[in-house]
Amino acid sequence: MTTGTGSPWRIEAIDKAVVERLAAAHLPDSLAVELGVDLVADPHRQDDDGNVWTLLRSARTVGDVTPGSVVVIGTHAGRWLGRVLAWDFEVNADDPIVTVDLLPVSPEAVQRALDRNRPSAA
Amino acid sequence: MSIPASTGRRKTRFVRDEDPPDDLIVVVRAAGFDIDGTLADMVRDARYSGESYAIEGIGGDREVLFGVSVFAVERDTTVARVLEKFSASPRYLAVTVGQLRSAGYPVVRRGPFPTISIYSSSAVFRPTHRLVTSRMPNLLQGPRPLSRWPARCGQTLPTLVKSRCRRKDDDGHWKSMAYRSDR
């Protein structure tokens, strides 16, 4: 397990070589591509800590879903924002469990906030 | 004879030693209008669960958890509260634990959260990828004897009389809908 402890800003990074190995073997999840999300997951799938979980194979791009990344997750039920907490290799070294902390804001709300707060060009 | 699933290299789910009562309402799924997509999501959930998790039964026997998590609507909450995370989902399906049991699905309480898993025993459901992917849709929507899964929210449900769905009306307000059984 690679979960960070203490400050929520501190996340234990995955070794770069491991990320590159998994990325090299990865095929983008077709549903993730179709839905336009980083990971196929939704709040129906919850682990014993209350976090959303999925498998790395459900990613569109491995490098975008490393621990600490802010991600858009989704299924046919909708889209959500989350932050990747950890990759857990206990079950499978090639397809870790990815745990995601669900953020209580919608992607659309964040997009609207960013759109109205762009720095002026001057 | 079915082949019990190996539970090696799986994480063990924490299962609480208490049976949820038959009259407990559970939200099985929040869904969009793409019913086939919803079914596919549930198949994926069960497949990933079976690959990753096992539960420990009475006597310490471990069993692969081909499970789908559902949300218990406990006394201190409401269906609307459970659905707060699913504001983008226009419909949902809620049934009672008793209805799930009657349909042949074991139900276990797990974790510290009001989450329940309904699952298919590995004795019935061989844990190979091919069979998982070919049988789970039947489990959800297909022919007898695995035809009782109430996942077809928004359509006539084959066996469960009081399953409920909801959708947003033209003004964006939630509207509960009841669906009749066809039997």
Side-chain angles (χ1 to χ4, degrees):
Chain A
M1 192 78 173
T2 55
T3 308
T5 55
S7 166
W9 293 93
R10 194 179 309 131
I11 294 269
E12 188 179 331
I14 301 290
D15 188 276
K16 190 179 173 190
V18 173
V19 175
E20 287 174 353
R21 175 177 68 81
L22 296 176
H26 181 76
L27 293 174
D29 184 288
S30 59
L31 184 59
V33 173
E34 178 188 329
L35 297 175
V37 297
D38 294 311
L39 280 168
V40 177
D42 71 29
H44 288 107
R45 205 186 304 146
Q46 200 177 54
D47 66 18
D48 288 344
D49 294 322
N51 297 312
V52 174
W53 71 275
T54 188
L55 298 176
L56 185 62
R57 83 179 74 149
S58 70
R60 188 172 47 178
T61 306
V62 167
D64 291 340
V65 300
T66 53
S69 303
V70 172
V71 292
V72 177
I73 66 171
T75 61
H76 294 92
R79 288 153 57 96
W80 293 263
L81 276 179
R83 182 165 179 255
V84 177
L85 293 174
W87 288 2
D88 183 345
F89 294 91
E90 180 181 336
V91 175
N92 189 332
D94 297 323
D95 189 20
I97 293 172
V98 180
T99 53
V100 178
D101 182 20
L102 198 66
L103 302 178
V105 288
S106 71
E108 294 74 20
V110 171
Q111 188 66 59
R112 284 194 297 272
L114 292 172
D115 287 347
R116 69 175 172 265
N117 288 285
R118 293 187 189 285
S120 59
Chain B
M1 185 180 117
S2 63
I3 303 168
S6 163
T7 54
R9 293 182 62 124
R10 285 181 174 84
K11 298 169 77 74
T12 301
R13 281 283 203 195
F14 172 63
V15 176
R16 283 194 268 172
D17 187 21
E18 53 178 291
D19 279 337
D22 278 349
D23 61 354
L24 178 65
I25 292 174
V26 294
V27 174
V28 174
R29 210 76 187 174
F33 290 104
D34 180 355
I35 298 300
D36 289 336
T38 299
L39 290 169
D41 290 343
M42 296 175 81
V43 171
R44 185 188 288 240
D45 284 359
R47 187 158 43 91
Y48 282 12
S49 172
E51 292 178 26
S52 306
Y53 288 101
I55 53 173
E56 213 160 88
I58 298 169
D61 294 336
R62 294 183 83 218
E63 187 174 1
V64 173
L65 180 62
F66 286 105
V68 175
S69 298
V70 298
F71 299 99
V73 184
E74 307 282 7
R75 284 182 194 157
D76 59 350
T77 191
T78 62
V79 169
R81 188 125 188 231
V82 167
L83 290 167
E84 282 175 348
K85 291 178 185 172
F86 298 96
S87 60
S89 303
R91 299 186 291 183
Y92 76 93
L93 179 66
V95 298
T96 65
V97 166
Q99 287 174 304
L100 291 171
R101 287 191 175 121
S102 298
Y105 295 100
V107 178
V108 294
R109 253 189 212 280
R110 63 170 182 75
F113 299 93
T115 311
I116 285 175
S117 280
I118 46 181
Y119 68 104
S120 181
S121 163
S122 57
V124 175
F125 190 48
R126 287 190 186 185
T128 66
H129 277 215
R130 184 178 64 79
L131 287 172
V132 169
T133 53
S134 66
R135 284 192 184 181
M136 198 65 183
N138 291 341
L139 187 67
L140 301 178
Q141 65 175 353
R144 293 178 184 83
L146 300 174
S147 63
R148 295 172 184 171
W149 186 278
R152 292 212 147 235
C153 189
Q155 300 184 6
T156 302
L157 298 175
T159 55
L160 299 174
V161 178
K162 291 185 178 177
S163 299
R164 297 188 299 273
C165 293
R166 71 174 194 168
R167 69 173 71 217
K168 279 184 176 174
D169 62 20
D170 293 340
D171 297 324
H173 300 300
W174 290 110
K175 183 179 179 184
S176 293
M177 307 182 72
Y179 290 86
R180 290 177 299 131
S181 168
D182 62 356
R183 293 185 194 170

